[in-house]
Amino acid sequence: MALFGNAHTIDPATAQQDYARLLGNGEQVHAAFLLIRDTILFTDRRLILVDKQGITGKKVEYHSIPYRSITHFAVETAGTFDLDAELKLWLSGSAAPIQKTFTKGVDIYEVQAILTQFVAR
């Protein structure tokens, strides 16, 4: 499914090690998802979008979104014929949402629970 651009779950402990240089002192990865070459990390402090660019993927953009800047979010579950779930995030100061697509195998309710835990503080 990764060939279709949909995210799947990766081990948070592995993501913690792989992206240790991005994390603040004591920051913990609670969930992580891989989208072909890109990665989405949910930490206890922020959401990190890792965007590998270009053909080789050597150029990487790290987009850090503090949970407090998320004004609202929506999840759409997978259906019978539409096999992917979606996450939409609206950030303060931006009209268009950030959208990410997940395979049916990803528990979108887990994503919702993580966001609820950190955004609703």
Side-chain angles (χ1 to χ4, degrees):
M1 290 299 281
L3 294 176
F4 296 108
N6 295 335
H8 63 275
T9 305
I10 57 175
D11 179 44
T14 301
Q16 181 83 29
Q17 290 178 337
D18 291 347
Y19 295 99
R21 293 175 52 191
L22 294 178
L23 303 174
N25 190 25
E27 186 173 12
Q28 295 294 311
V29 174
H30 285 265
F33 301 92
L34 183 63
L35 175 61
I36 301 179
R37 300 185 310 174
D38 299 342
T39 305
I40 304 167
L41 304 173
F42 291 88
T43 78
D44 56 345
R45 299 179 190 170
R46 61 197 164 130
L47 178 65
I48 303 171
L49 306 177
V50 181
D51 180 15
K52 292 188 178 180
Q53 301 173 353
I55 294 172
T56 64
K58 288 190 176 205
K59 183 176 179 179
V60 182
E61 177 181 51
Y62 300 99
H63 191 119
S64 180
I65 303 170
Y67 291 117
R68 69 181 175 275
S69 70
I70 300 173
T71 60
H72 65 284
F73 60 90
V75 295
E76 181 180 299
T77 61
T80 303
F81 298 107
D82 183 9
L83 300 179
D84 51 322
E86 290 184 9
L87 168 65
K88 295 179 185 176
L89 300 168
W90 284 265
L91 306 179
S92 59
S94 179
I98 294 173
Q99 295 180 289
K100 296 296 177 184
T101 303
F102 298 82
T103 61
K104 191 172 184 175
V106 171
D107 183 359
I108 197 68
Y109 295 106
E110 176 188 359
V111 174
Q112 156 99 21
I114 292 167
L115 282 169
T116 299
Q117 178 183 356
F118 294 119
V119 172
R121 285 185 184 184

